[in-house]
Amino acid sequence: MEAPEGAAGLRCHRPVVEMLDLPFLPSCVFLGGLGLLCIAFVGTWCQHWRGGFSLDGSARTFNWHPVLMVTGMVVLYGAAALIYRLPPARRGPKLPWKVVHSALALAAFVLAVLGLAAVFRFHNAHGTPNMYSLHSWLGLVTVLLFSCQWVAGFSTFLLPWAPTWLRAFYKPIHVFFGATVLMLSVASCVSGINEKLFFSLKNGTAEYKLLPAEAVFANTLGLLILLFGVLVLGALARPSWKRPDADSSDSHQPLLTAER
Amino acid sequence: MEAPEGAAGLRCHRPVVEMLDLPFLPSCVFLGGLGLLCIAFVGTWCQHWRGGFSLDGSARTFNWHPVLMVTGMVVLYGAAALIYRLPPARRGPKLPWKVVHSALALAAFVLAVLGLAAVFRFHNAHGTPNMYSLHSWLGLVTVLLFSCQWVAGFSTFLLPWAPTWLRAFYKPIHVFFGATVLMLSVASCVSGINEKLFFSLKNGTAEYKLLPAEAVFANTLGLLILLFGVLVLGALARPSWKRPDADSSDSHQPLLTAER
């Protein structure tokens, strides 16, 4: 039973809650910095401890895999998801921001495909089977789901074929699978970093269980990726950062129409 | 710019969207079944392929670790999070459901602590260092965060000390960290299953990369846990399954007051 005085009491306390609401821009700068830190960490790990990068099929070809997956499936993907929360994107026509969202997601997808190509090339060059570990199953499910998400989003929200009721119906599904793909990406990264450290740190004084500097560094990378993923999902869920007209007709405006 | 006819059009399409809204009870039965399937899978894995259970410090003591963590930190935790979505919990006083929520979360926490004790006992009996892998760091962070979440939730929502404004302020934080702990739990499980399979499947015809039956079974367990976590988070986010009076005074009613 809702007591009117209770509801009034809550209304009195609302300014306190809103006063303590996180300001968007500093949070956005922090998230951007954290994303760049993740890229810097994964690049430094592969360059400093794992021998750097090449395209010759060696372990240095494998090194593109973590860098491209973290950059594409976590950081660029997170940026694509958050684009509508930027203050200029919260006002005026949504269409240009839909194009930016779609382009960032496509860039993330291209990096992910290149990242998969790197690990397949490395495995094939060494006669190692592909697709046996839980990490590989999860990673492939994530990229396949992302590809369906991109194609369905582009076809429904940017191309002119989808009727308005379909756009309205598909939007919450797109939002749900968008968050799901980010969660799966983060879980893939954590299991992948864990697996790579067990593979790489096997001998003598550098054993993983002796926690050498590389292990501390790469474990920290895993926690930073998790923090980034959780904060992006938290930012997406904040009601005060959403476009006020999230359900307006403009949300359902296709890119290609007969009129424009 | 919001066009009135567009908004009217959306209102016309709302019944279509609502008609296609998922019914709660079948979804709840499916989620419950999926949770039980996760427990059955992890129990079967440890019993059938990893030698069963004991308390003697051997690998059979370790086997309690995956079973207790999946049962506690994923399935019971998910049940605790979803308790307010049950139809009887959506009506009438919230207080009894807060007690159930708190009790289920406490049970999940106790299982998690026993699960940690199992792996520490196994490591100590074999002279293996504790807390070096990314999986262990992430798992410990998750359980520590969960303990803070439980203590803060109990102190704020059930004990009588917290003023109403603090309850209103802390509630979205409690909800956010509740979802975060579930995400971290799922990521911990996936990295842990992946790690355990690399440890266990090293020799001859049972090598992980040859994808023996155990590997297919445990990889499937990992994907089922992920599916359960994602669906619980999706169920929590559905507006139509939330208590209509989520902000009423009853939400902020402590268990122990001078009056009752």
Side-chain angles (χ1 to χ4, degrees):
Chain A
M1 293 288 287
E2 185 162 348
E5 59 273 37
L10 269 181
R11 273 196 296 279
C12 292
H13 294 306
R14 190 139 297 162
V16 177
V17 176
E18 277 166 9
M19 200 179 66
L20 292 163
D21 197 23
L22 285 175
F24 177 78
L25 272 182
S27 314
C28 185
V29 169
F30 177 78
L31 260 182
L34 185 58
L36 292 177
L37 192 65
C38 289
I39 297 175
F41 258 65
V42 69
T44 304
W45 177 31
C46 294
Q47 179 66 45
H48 182 69
W49 278 287
R50 296 283 110 229
F53 304 91
S54 79
L55 298 173
D56 58 5
S58 70
R60 296 190 300 142
T61 300
F62 172 87
N63 287 346
W64 286 109
H65 176 66
V67 171
L68 290 169
M69 297 325 259
V70 170
T71 308
M73 292 298 295
V74 179
V75 182
L76 264 185
Y77 187 97
L82 281 178
I83 203 79
Y84 298 120
R85 274 33 177 202
L86 289 174
R90 281 189 246 171
R91 291 181 298 272
K94 196 174 183 182
L95 191 54
W97 298 102
K98 287 167 83 169
V99 175
V100 176
H101 173 74
S102 174
L104 277 174
L106 184 62
F109 182 70
V110 169
L111 293 194
V113 170
L114 293 174
L116 289 186
V119 72
F120 277 93
R121 175 148 166 62
F122 168 69
H123 280 171
N124 295 342
H126 290 77
T128 307
N130 291 299
M131 301 303 310
Y132 64 91
S133 73
L134 176 54
H135 163 69
S136 66
W137 286 26
L138 169 57
L140 198 68
V141 164
T142 309
V143 175
L144 287 176
L145 209 58
F146 182 25
S147 66
C148 298
Q149 169 86 346
W150 194 88
V151 170
F154 185 77
S155 315
T156 313
F157 298 124
L158 286 177
L159 294 184
W161 337 118
T164 311
W165 70 263
L166 180 60
R167 289 162 197 255
F169 171 67
Y170 175 56
K171 193 174 169 191
I173 298 172
H174 187 76
V175 168
F176 172 69
F177 277 101
T180 298
V181 168
L182 184 58
M183 279 187 264
L184 299 184
S185 294
V186 167
S188 304
C189 288
V190 168
S191 56
I193 293 167
N194 207 49
E195 174 177 321
K196 179 66 184 170
L197 288 170
F198 274 107
F199 272 134
S200 305
L201 300 176
K202 281 188 295 203
N203 307 314
T205 53
E207 266 192 285
Y208 194 6
K209 67 182 172 191
L210 300 176
L211 212 56
E214 177 181 353
V216 174
F217 190 86
N219 283 358
T220 307
L221 164 65
L223 296 186
L224 288 175
I225 290 170
L226 273 160
L227 183 64
F228 180 81
V230 163
L231 292 182
V232 167
L233 292 169
L236 289 173
R238 286 191 90 77
S240 60
W241 291 355
K242 287 184 184 166
R243 262 178 82 95
D245 61 342
D247 282 330
S248 79
S249 63
D250 187 63
S251 301
H252 307 285
Q253 178 71 51
L255 180 58
L256 307 169
T257 58
E259 300 86 46
R260 34 196 301 170
Chain B
M1 292 291 287
E2 185 162 347
E5 60 271 41
L10 269 181
R11 272 196 297 276
C12 292
H13 295 307
R14 192 141 294 163
V16 178
V17 176
E18 278 167 10
M19 200 177 66
L20 292 163
D21 196 23
L22 284 175
F24 178 79
L25 273 182
S27 314
C28 186
V29 169
F30 176 78
L31 260 181
L34 185 58
L36 292 177
L37 191 65
C38 289
I39 297 174
F41 257 65
V42 70
T44 305
W45 176 32
C46 293
Q47 179 65 48
H48 181 70
W49 277 287
R50 296 284 111 232
F53 304 91
S54 79
L55 298 173
D56 58 2
S58 70
R60 295 190 300 142
T61 300
F62 172 87
N63 287 347
W64 286 110
H65 176 66
V67 171
L68 290 169
M69 296 324 259
V70 170
T71 308
M73 292 299 295
V74 179
V75 182
L76 264 186
Y77 187 96
L82 282 178
I83 202 78
Y84 296 119
R85 272 36 176 201
L86 289 174
R90 280 188 246 172
R91 292 181 297 271
K94 195 173 183 182
L95 192 54
W97 299 101
K98 288 166 81 169
V99 175
V100 176
H101 173 76
S102 174
L104 277 174
L106 185 61
F109 182 71
V110 169
L111 293 194
V113 169
L114 293 174
L116 289 185
V119 70
F120 277 94
R121 172 145 167 66
F122 167 69
H123 281 171
N124 295 342
H126 290 76
T128 307
N130 290 298
M131 302 303 310
Y132 65 90
S133 73
L134 176 54
H135 163 70
S136 65
W137 285 26
L138 170 56
L140 198 68
V141 165
T142 308
V143 175
L144 287 177
L145 209 57
F146 182 25
S147 65
C148 297
Q149 169 87 348
W150 193 89
V151 170
F154 185 76
S155 316
T156 312
F157 299 124
L158 286 177
L159 293 185
W161 336 118
T164 312
W165 70 263
L166 181 60
R167 290 163 195 253
F169 171 68
Y170 175 57
K171 193 174 169 191
I173 298 172
H174 187 76
V175 168
F176 172 70
F177 277 101
T180 298
V181 167
L182 183 58
M183 279 188 265
L184 299 184
S185 294
V186 167
S188 303
C189 288
V190 168
S191 56
I193 294 166
N194 206 50
E195 175 178 319
K196 179 66 183 168
L197 288 170
F198 273 108
F199 272 134
S200 305
L201 300 176
K202 279 187 296 201
N203 308 315
T205 54
E207 265 192 285
Y208 194 8
K209 66 183 172 190
L210 300 175
L211 211 58
E214 176 181 353
V216 174
F217 190 86
N219 282 359
T220 307
L221 164 65
L223 296 186
L224 288 175
I225 291 170
L226 272 161
L227 183 64
F228 180 81
V230 163
L231 292 182
V232 167
L233 292 170
L236 289 173
R238 285 190 89 79
S240 60
W241 290 354
K242 287 184 184 166
R243 261 177 84 92
D245 61 341
D247 282 332
S248 80
S249 64
D250 187 64
S251 301
H252 307 284
Q253 178 70 52
L255 178 61
L256 308 171
T257 57
E259 299 85 47
R260 38 198 298 168

